[in-house]
Amino acid sequence: MPDPDRVPLQALRRALSFGRGRAQRLARAATRPATGVGDLEPAGDLLSESFLRRLERLNLMTRGQVIQGLVGEHRSRRHASSTEFADFRKYVPGDDFRRIDWNAFARLDGLFLKETEANEDITVHLLFDCSQSMNWGRPNKLSFARHLTAALGFLALARYDAVTAVGFADTLYDRFPVVRGRGQIGRLLSYLDQAPVGGVTRLQNAMDQYCRGSVSGGIAFLISDLLSEDDWEAGVMRLLREGLDVVVIQVLAPEEAHPRLEGDLELVDAESGDIVEIVVGDQARATYEQRVQNWCARTAAFCQRSEIGHLILETDVPLEEVFLNRMRLRRIVR
Amino acid sequence: MTLIQPTALWALGALPLILLLYVLRPRHRRVVIPSVRLWQHLSSDLEGRPRWRLPVATLLLFLQLLIAAVAAIALARPALPGGIGQHLIVMVDTSPTMLATDVQPNRLALAKKDARQIVSTLQPDDQATLIDVGPTPRIVATGKGPRALDAALAQLKASPRAGDMQSALALAAQTADQSHGTHNRIVILSDGTFSAPSLKEIGPIPADISYQQIGGSDDNQGITALSVRPMIGSTNRYLGFVQVANFAHRDVQVSVQATADGLRIYNSKVNLPARQPVEISLSLPQGTRLFGVTINAADKYSLDNHAEVLVPTATALPVTLVAQNPLPWQRALKTLPNVKLTVVNPAAYKPDGAAVTIFDGFVPTKLPSGNLLIVAPPAGNSLVPVSGNLAATTVVQTDPSNPVFDSADLTGLYVKQGEKFGAMPWARPIAETTDGPIMFDGTLRGHQTVLIGFDPGATDWPERIAFPIFISNAIQSLAPQELPTQVDPGTALDLPPAPHTNSVLVQLPNGKVDVFAKATGPIRFTDTSQLGPYVVTDLDGKTPIAKQEFVTSRLGISQSNIAPQIDPQTLAQRASPRGDPTEHEIWPWVAGGILVLLSAEWLIYFRRLVA
């Protein structure tokens, strides 16, 4: 009996307008004038059929406690009582002695608890930065963020998890409601495509605003360049305080990390309009790149300290690489 | 190397300007980036930076300085020294005698060849001018370089009449005078069959003049005169007179043939003593229209070996007299030769084809085709407005320039009763009385008209000798004009179209027909370069209404003497200014260098952009 919520891939592909290859689009994007601003592609455009098949086989991993909800197909990092074996661990006072593996006690003469994996229902919160600084780069950071959000959404909906999404800059934009099931992927993509662009990033303010709404726990993916006017770390901490399992995905355009600027320049801040007059040469570029590295290192250190998942992605990294390698390495997916 | 426009080197001032642009802090290129946070305070030397800096030696700066310098030099028009600039004025005689064949193929062809050779020695910047020394000298080509005159020389043809060397030299002098800074040379290529021009009359000619004799033979025998005249005592028999001259310095014998309307009437060998003419008179058959003579001579000039002449025909001039009292008019008209008079009573008058019609005291409602002499028109007629009478008066003044009064003075004529006329825009007064104009002429409804405002029979005018003279003058003035029977080749003729002519055909000696549409005045015909008879036919629609003939003949001693008449030394002079050295400008090459440099700069800049 086929699940009515499971949309055949062919139909999904049609719904998502999968008509063009990524290489072709990337090549086209490379020939555009190098303004670096405003080269957005529809969110579903880069999700190939084979990639979606692979995404279907992935599970999101959570770090924290799942509070409530329906039992979903999501694989949690929290070991729970179920039939699927996960690991053994030594008994400590306070454990439920009913979970002691007596067979192991007979063979090994020690108290061990047999841990099983919990198939849990979680809510996936997709928080993506739509500010003006994201609408820059080649490939465009916002496009990349929308593709990433779409892929994460598909991954979660395919596992019958609840998914919600919202774009933000200094405040939240219209929120995509909590939905469940693969049939909702089209709505999600449409939402992503129509999400507004522009504004100044105030991540703390936006996260405060988000958390004031009904946040029911789960895992929150914060996709942003973290170029926030206010304290973005405070914003992340606010999410943590709401019991969310947070993964920060820091998006960088390749030209942001390794700029090709040279000569007498008037650098204009895309969001604030601030201007810096500068003569860019090899030395200035090297200094800048060092600053970027330091900034990324500080971000990573903060996330490590806060036990937050963290990933730095340059926008020219293929989504397959992101999901199949980098997220697996960071145990964000499995 | 010299600079023709050295003041343009001021443009080198662009070099420090370019440097200044590099010294001053340039306007920054705006680049939008996600955040300037990581770019701030990047380098301490950016803080408090002065508005200037030492220019950085880059390839672009070097190229831009080089382009500016080379452009300034190009503007200064650098030039390499050349020779002295020349202006060569070639005068080629195109008189008919230049067709003499004492040189091969003829004098004109040799002159053209020599001219080409002379011009070919010019440098590319030297100027050359070609003057066609014909009856009306003209500049046919001007240009620069050794091939500037080739095309014009190829087109040069012999003129129908002798060239005017005096005017040609004046034209050359004017041309040379307008050349500045050049060494002027005038080269005359001619057979010298003209009288020596007067250089003094022309005035100073700022040029060296050299004369190049083409040909030089005097070996020519030609027909120098041909005419016909009536035999004494006969009006329809004519004698033909031929003069054949030998211009060679030896006696020769030539064969002379004469024809009358194409039929041979004379063929004989004639001995011609050196440099002497021989005259022959021939009796022409009755009714001969065209008398032609041909000589067969082994000479070097054939254009004068044949000539033709038209025998004049006594053409009657039809004149119609419409008068109640025709006697005074008849007496005067009888004295005029060739007038064929028809007298008609006014009551019986019908328009006819008379060349001239005299209306005395009568004006018809429908006019004839010819011209009109209207005398004392009655009051109330439809043609001329008679507005009243003049009391007894006297003619006080006549127009002396009008041919009707030639030797026919009317002043003092007492007119007992004259007529006053209303406004007549077509008419011009030609005789005045004390009380107003009394005689007019003009063109009335397309008819040449003389109007007399009184009855001559009521005066003593018919008794005066002036009356028949006036009538003769008036008839001659009103009669259709006739063409001359003989003209020189190249002469322009005014063909007077007969009344009601729609078109005029002119048949040339070679059979070609020129067609002229109806014109308001005479038709100017200039295509008379061929020798022989021309037939002019006036057409009314397709119907011939008049026919005239004339003949072109090259007759005369001066037309046939092909021996040089001048001393070349009389034309030689050295009076040209020295001329300035020419310079070969090389700015196009310099400009090409600028383009190369600009391409290099663009390439470097583009590569930097795409890097």
Side-chain angles (χ1 to χ4, degrees):
Chain A
M1 186 79 180
D3 184 344
D5 277 336
R6 293 182 76 89
V7 182
L9 280 175
Q10 282 299 112
L12 177 64
R13 182 180 171 78
R14 280 197 298 275
L16 301 180
S17 307
F18 295 160
R20 293 167 285 176
R22 185 175 188 203
Q24 186 183 353
R25 284 186 293 279
L26 286 175
R28 191 174 63 242
T31 59
R32 287 180 194 141
T35 60
V37 179
D39 300 315
L40 297 179
E41 293 183 68
D45 248 17
L46 298 180
L47 305 182
S48 70
E49 187 175 337
S50 62
F51 175 55
L52 289 174
R53 285 183 190 283
R54 291 187 172 189
L55 276 183
E56 276 187 316
R57 291 196 288 270
L58 296 178
N59 285 315
L60 288 173
M61 304 285 286
T62 56
R63 292 168 190 269
Q65 187 179 9
V66 177
I67 296 174
Q68 64 171 20
L70 298 172
V71 176
E73 296 180 356
H74 178 69
R75 182 168 288 179
S76 169
R77 292 185 193 179
R78 186 172 67 87
H79 295 163
S81 56
S82 71
T83 54
E84 191 173 347
F85 171 76
D87 204 354
F88 288 103
R89 70 171 172 84
K90 284 188 175 179
Y91 172 81
V92 293
D95 282 341
D96 185 357
F97 60 85
R98 290 175 299 178
R99 291 175 57 200
I100 294 173
D101 188 338
W102 299 110
N103 292 331
F105 173 74
R107 288 201 302 273
L108 303 173
D109 195 20
L111 291 175
F112 293 94
L113 263 63
K114 184 179 181 182
E115 293 193 322
T116 58
E117 287 187 342
N119 288 333
E120 296 156 327
D121 169 51
I122 62 167
T123 298
V124 178
H125 303 262
L126 302 172
L127 310 168
F128 61 99
D129 187 351
C130 301
S131 67
Q132 192 59 40
S133 65
M134 287 290 284
N135 188 20
W136 193 89
R138 195 173 314 285
N140 185 276
K141 289 195 288 183
L142 184 55
S143 286
F144 182 81
R146 283 156 57 171
H147 295 142
L148 193 60
T149 307
L152 287 167
F154 176 78
L155 195 156
L157 290 171
R159 309 304 299 179
Y160 207 68
D161 288 326
V163 172
T164 181
V166 68
F168 66 88
D170 52 344
T171 62
L172 294 181
Y173 294 131
D174 288 343
R175 183 172 173 176
F176 182 71
V178 178
V179 297
R180 189 188 299 274
R182 304 178 59 145
Q184 303 299 325
I185 186 67
R187 284 180 62 196
L188 175 62
L189 294 180
S190 175
Y191 168 79
L192 293 174
D193 285 342
Q194 291 167 12
V197 180
V200 179
T201 312
R202 288 198 178 84
L203 207 144
Q204 181 186 7
N205 181 56
M207 295 305 106
D208 276 347
Q209 192 180 352
Y210 187 74
C211 292
R212 282 198 293 272
S214 58
V215 177
S216 55
I219 179 167
F221 287 92
L222 175 61
I223 304 166
S224 170
D225 55 10
L226 303 182
L227 298 171
S228 177
E229 288 283 304
D230 57 9
D231 186 1
W232 69 270
E233 294 175 356
V236 172
M237 294 306 290
R238 180 80 170 86
L239 292 175
L240 287 176
R241 280 201 299 277
E242 290 299 319
L244 288 169
D245 197 354
V246 179
V247 177
V248 174
I249 300 178
Q250 184 179 357
V251 179
L252 272 177
E255 303 148 56
E256 218 171 352
H258 310 287
R260 291 187 296 179
L261 302 173
E262 184 172 328
D264 294 293
L265 300 174
E266 190 176 77
L267 302 178
V268 182
D269 192 301
E271 292 186 355
S272 67
D274 290 346
I275 291 174
V276 170
E277 284 188 2
I278 191 168
V279 179
V280 178
D282 292 341
Q283 190 178 353
R285 270 197 305 274
T287 308
Y288 169 81
E289 287 177 5
Q290 186 60 50
R291 286 185 179 185
V292 172
Q293 284 178 18
N294 295 344
W295 151 252
C296 290
R298 281 201 304 273
T299 307
F302 165 77
C303 291
Q304 195 174 9
R305 280 197 310 273
S306 308
E307 294 187 345
I308 293 171
H310 178 244
L311 200 57
I312 297 176
L313 294 177
E314 291 189 12
T315 56
D316 57 349
V317 179
L319 285 181
E320 287 91 337
E321 162 72 14
V322 171
F323 279 86
L324 304 180
N325 293 328
R326 301 200 182 185
M327 284 194 176
R328 271 185 171 169
L329 283 174
R330 296 299 179 103
R331 296 181 62 80
I332 297 170
V333 299
R334 176 178 168 189
Chain B
M1 189 173 74
T2 56
L3 297 175
I4 295 175
Q5 197 79 39
T7 52
L9 289 179
W10 283 107
L12 287 171
L15 269 64
L17 283 178
I18 292 171
L19 277 173
L20 193 63
L21 290 174
Y22 275 76
V23 167
L24 292 175
R25 278 181 63 187
R27 183 178 174 79
H28 298 286
R29 182 162 60 94
R30 287 176 72 92
V31 178
V32 177
I33 59 171
S35 172
V36 298
R37 198 174 305 160
L38 298 179
W39 288 100
Q40 282 170 337
H41 314 296
L42 198 61
S43 174
S44 60
D45 63 352
L46 297 178
E47 305 292 341
R49 205 158 54 117
R51 298 300 297 174
W52 61 273
R53 63 177 180 184
L54 285 175
V56 182
T58 63
L59 185 57
L60 272 182
L61 171 61
F62 172 72
L63 282 175
Q64 285 166 5
L65 290 174
L66 196 59
I67 288 167
V70 175
I73 292 170
L75 287 173
R77 296 171 61 193
L80 296 174
I84 300 293
Q86 281 196 63
H87 186 182
L88 175 66
I89 301 166
V90 181
M91 298 169 59
V92 178
D93 188 355
T94 56
S95 302
T97 54
M98 289 294 284
L99 295 176
T101 55
D102 53 336
V103 293
Q104 290 302 320
N106 59 43
R107 292 177 178 179
L108 182 60
L110 182 63
K112 288 157 74 172
K113 182 183 171 188
D114 288 354
R116 260 192 293 271
Q117 199 168 358
I118 294 167
V119 177
S120 69
T121 61
L122 293 181
Q123 295 298 313
D125 285 337
D126 291 342
Q127 198 170 355
T129 300
L130 177 62
I131 294 178
D132 176 356
V133 187
T136 307
R138 61 200 176 98
I139 294 173
V140 291
T142 184
K144 280 188 172 183
R147 314 224 66 83
L149 306 183
D150 282 3
L153 281 169
Q155 299 288 327
L156 211 57
K157 290 179 180 173
S159 304
R161 287 183 290 142
D164 183 352
M165 188 57 74
Q166 180 84 18
S167 301
L169 268 172
L171 181 61
Q174 188 183 358
T175 306
D177 198 37
Q178 289 170 352
S179 290
H180 301 291
T182 57
H183 175 81
N184 302 324
R185 273 201 304 150
I186 297 174
V187 177
I188 304 169
L189 299 162
S190 171
D191 58 5
T193 58
F194 51 85
S195 53
S198 168
L199 297 184
K200 284 185 180 173
E201 282 185 17
I202 296 170
I205 303 176
D208 293 348
I209 304 176
S210 61
Y211 174 82
Q212 190 161 329
Q213 176 69 41
I214 306 294
S217 169
D218 60 359
D219 186 10
N220 183 38
Q221 295 81 48
I223 301 164
T224 52
L226 183 67
S227 63
V228 292
R229 66 185 66 150
M231 288 183 179
I232 297 173
S234 172
T235 57
N236 54 5
R237 294 295 304 276
Y238 284 84
L239 283 175
F241 291 91
V242 186
Q243 186 186 60
V244 181
N246 178 19
F247 295 92
H249 57 280
R250 57 185 171 81
D251 296 349
V252 294
Q253 186 183 58
V254 296
S255 166
V256 179
Q257 289 107 36
T259 59
D261 293 333
L263 296 175
R264 184 177 296 176
I265 58 171
Y266 178 81
N267 185 6
S268 178
K269 294 199 180 298
V270 177
N271 290 316
L272 300 175
R275 304 184 191 281
Q276 292 295 321
V278 169
E279 292 183 349
I280 303 165
S281 65
L282 298 168
S283 173
L284 302 183
Q286 189 172 352
T288 297
R289 179 68 182 137
L290 184 65
F291 175 44
V293 176
T294 304
I295 62 171
N296 291 322
D299 59 3
K300 303 299 183 188
Y301 185 56
S302 61
L303 292 183
D304 57 0
N305 290 353
H306 178 79
E308 290 173 320
V309 66
L310 281 171
V311 177
T313 53
T315 52
L317 180 69
V319 175
T320 298
L321 172 62
V322 187
Q324 289 284 358
N325 178 20
L327 280 178
W329 302 103
Q330 281 178 301
R331 277 202 302 271
L333 291 167
K334 269 183 185 174
T335 61
L336 302 180
N338 302 328
V339 168
K340 184 183 173 187
L341 182 63
T342 303
V343 181
V344 183
N345 189 282
Y349 176 74
K350 289 181 181 174
D352 55 15
V356 179
T357 304
I358 303 170
F359 294 110
D360 183 7
F362 168 75
V363 172
T365 53
K366 187 178 178 186
L367 292 176
S369 60
N371 295 329
L372 309 173
L373 174 57
I374 302 173
V375 183
N381 74 85
S382 59
L383 202 60
V384 286
V386 179
S387 59
N389 293 322
L390 290 174
T393 186
T394 304
V395 177
V396 293
Q397 189 180 2
T398 57
D399 179 2
S401 65
N402 197 301
V404 296
F405 296 119
D406 186 14
S407 304
D409 186 12
L410 261 69
T411 52
L413 177 69
Y414 175 73
V415 179
K416 189 177 180 184
Q417 184 176 0
E419 292 178 326
K420 278 186 178 175
F421 297 98
M424 294 187 293
W426 58 271
R428 183 172 61 95
I430 56 175
E432 296 273 352
T433 68
T434 51
D435 296 324
I438 201 164
M439 292 176 70
F440 303 85
D441 74 352
T443 304
L444 174 60
R445 298 184 186 175
H447 304 268
Q448 195 66 31
T449 302
V450 173
L451 172 63
I452 301 173
F454 62 94
D455 178 11
T459 67
D460 65 347
W461 191 21
E463 311 305 324
R464 296 186 183 187
I465 189 65
F467 185 69
I469 295 173
F470 175 86
I471 296 299
S472 174
N473 290 343
I475 294 298
Q476 279 186 24
S477 170
L478 294 173
Q481 291 179 8
E482 289 188 350
L483 288 175
T485 57
Q486 186 173 343
V487 297
D488 286 337
T491 304
L493 287 176
D494 288 333
L495 308 178
H500 305 293
T501 296
N502 294 121
S503 57
V504 176
L505 309 183
V506 182
Q507 185 176 8
L508 277 60
N510 64 356
K512 180 191 164 195
V513 176
D514 289 347
V515 181
F516 299 91
K518 181 185 179 182
T520 53
I523 295 165
R524 171 138 296 206
F525 179 69
T526 58
D527 193 6
T528 56
S529 57
Q530 296 179 34
L531 296 176
Y534 291 69
V535 181
V536 182
T537 307
D538 294 347
L539 295 177
D540 180 6
K542 292 184 178 177
T543 309
I545 56 174
K547 183 177 176 184
Q548 299 178 81
E549 291 176 279
F550 66 92
V551 170
T552 53
S553 295
R554 182 172 282 112
L555 298 170
I557 299 292
S558 61
Q559 304 262 18
S560 294
N561 191 355
I562 63 170
Q565 305 297 307
I566 63 156
D567 176 6
Q569 294 304 319
T570 60
L571 286 175
Q573 77 162 28
R574 301 194 73 80
S576 170
R578 183 177 170 276
D580 300 332
T582 59
E583 290 164 319
H584 300 292
E585 292 194 43
I586 57 171
W587 69 264
W589 297 98
V590 181
I594 294 172
L595 277 179
V596 171
L597 290 172
L598 279 173
S599 303
E601 187 204 10
W602 178 84
L603 199 64
I604 292 167
Y605 183 72
F606 180 74
R607 280 192 173 172
R608 179 174 291 188
L609 276 185
V610 299

